[in-house]
Amino acid sequence: VRRLDEAITGEKAESRQATVGANRGFFDQKLEVTAQSEFSLGGNNDNVDFPTRYQLGAAYAISDDVRMIAVHEITEGEAFDISTTRLGLEVVPWKGARLTSTLNQSAVSEYGPRTFALLGLTQSFLVGKRWGFDVSTDTSRTFDESSEPPLVINENHPIASGGVLGNGALTEDFLSFSGGATYRSELWSWTGRAETRNGKTSDRSGFMTGFLRQARAGVAFAASAQAFQVDQATGSQGLLANVSLSWAFRPLGRHWSVLERLEFHHDELTSGMGLAGSGLFGATSLTVNGNARSRRLVNNLVVNRVARAWSAEDTQGNLFELNQRNQWSLYYGSKYVFDRFDGMDYSGYTDILGLEWRYDITRNIDVGLRGSLLHVWNADNYEYSAGPVIGYSPFDNAWISFGYNLRGFSDRDFDSAHYTAQGPFLTLRFKFDQQTRLRADEARERAMP
């Protein structure tokens, strides 16, 4: 994963990371050991929100309702290093409840050690057959900490402004509450959640909601909205909000599929200071000095055509027939941006056109080519991305592909839908539905003697 943030001043902070993890059970699954790493590649470890992390944890089930947990985590970033150890208990006091209590010891480079406790309680319950609710509270209290002042990287980049430390998870006391509700019927579902967090250096509140309507098998409509606000003791204020509408048309057995998503983003910063990689809401928010507002209308459209499924006929001499065992994909992304920085207004239209072709060499292996063209209309600038891709399907409904863009570019509004950065990339895709577990159980039964 490539994480690149660029301030309006042109200053950049980049992290290129790979994530690996594993877990293993011992003693009849009473002891579970987990290991996870998010490590940076090629020396790119500048993004304050995405440093290199190593985590080793263990959980031992004392009884069906009580687990002892221990976790040690090391974070190594360009700006600072952190070491944190957590010891505690996870308890199920009654049905639907979970209580977690840990004693924590952390040490931040140039800041010193801190001993603090974390306590969290979650309660979930059902009302009838369709409604589900959950409420939770979390708090952090410091017992002992260094007399050294908080870490400051430079005069324009106080840790209190955001990022890994700025969110308060490791450096401040806080009390938070959240609650959520879900409704599910045969054809549609709705979910909503609200939360508030009061901390020593910042207060945060927000909500999110989502709606999904399945018109028929393979055809669905979805809508979502979320908004978050932060007020800091330094006087900085921020608002991050977005609304999304999407439509999917991919019926089983059809050659054609269409995916469409329209989004509106609003990002506002008042009387704050920031640097690339340290927005009030982390890497996805504004990272500028002073007052700023960004509003963007973004649309992503993908049209895909796949040839017939692999069959025994494909071994009978038609290996290079172009109308079989091919997949074509057309991507068009567009956005209109209207920003305001320090009293000046900026606006413009940008679009991206992408084309991808894949060919099945065997039932499990495919090769392909992809290319993209980005056009900034106001400046009449063009950027290109192109490279080969090889894919492998280890089992049904799973696909792993590895590609390399010989030339590339990055745009935060299009990256999640269409990866275009220069260099190697890895894509993992899995399909899950309500029948996945059932089919897996039936396959195991058939395999049993």
Side-chain angles (χ1 to χ4, degrees), residues 21-26 31-37 55-59 67 70-72:
N23 68 292
R24 177 71 183 272
F26 301 92
L31 175 64
E32 182 181 14
V33 178
T34 61
Q36 182 172 320
S37 175
Q55 186 182 91
L56 179 64
R67 291 203 314 165
V71 180
H72 183 70

Side-chain angles (χ1 to χ4, degrees), residues 129-318:
K129 296 181 178 180
R130 302 187 185 279
W131 283 99
F133 298 89
D134 71 270
V135 293
S136 65
T137 180
D138 295 274
T139 185
S140 172
R141 286 295 178 267
T142 300
F143 296 136
D144 180 54
E145 64 181 335
S146 170
S147 59
E148 296 294 326
L151 169 67
V152 177
I153 298 175
N154 60 55
E155 61 181 1
N156 294 321
H157 186 203
I159 284 297
S161 69
V164 173
L165 299 185
N167 62 19
L170 295 175
T171 61
E172 72 167 349
D173 293 346
F174 67 89
L175 176 64
S176 66
F177 297 95
S178 65
T182 301
Y183 181 87
R184 287 188 175 90
S185 68
E186 288 77 9
L187 295 179
W188 64 275
S189 63
W190 169 86
T191 183
R193 187 166 197 83
E195 57 186 45
T196 181
R197 181 182 184 278
N198 182 268
K200 188 176 181 180
T201 63
S202 66
D203 297 333
R204 298 167 182 252
S205 59
F207 80 91
M208 59 187 72
T209 184
F211 172 84
L212 174 65
R213 174 68 162 86
Q214 183 173 332
R216 58 188 176 90
V219 181
F221 169 82
S224 66
Q226 60 180 3
F228 297 94
Q229 182 174 342
V230 59
D231 297 287
Q232 292 193 313
T234 58
S236 300
Q237 295 180 326
L239 174 65
L240 182 69
N242 63 73
V243 178
S244 173
L245 301 174
S246 58
W247 176 69
F249 175 85
R250 44 188 177 189
L252 294 176
R254 297 287 187 93
H255 292 292
W256 291 92
S257 62
V258 180
L259 301 175
E260 160 70 18
R261 185 174 71 229
L262 177 65
E263 300 172 286
F264 176 75
H265 299 269
H266 180 96
D267 194 355
E268 190 168 344
L269 178 67
T270 304
S271 300
M273 56 177 60
L275 187 71
S278 61
L280 285 177
F281 298 94
T284 58
S285 60
L286 282 172
T287 54
V288 299
N289 296 326
N291 299 334
R293 182 183 64 200
S294 175
R295 291 174 293 179
R296 309 184 306 280
L297 189 64
V298 183
N299 191 77
N300 290 282
L301 173 66
V302 178
V303 179
N304 190 85
R305 186 188 187 280
V306 61
R308 62 170 175 80
W310 178 277
S311 69
E313 297 177 1
D314 292 303
T315 63
Q316 304 301 319
N318 61 354

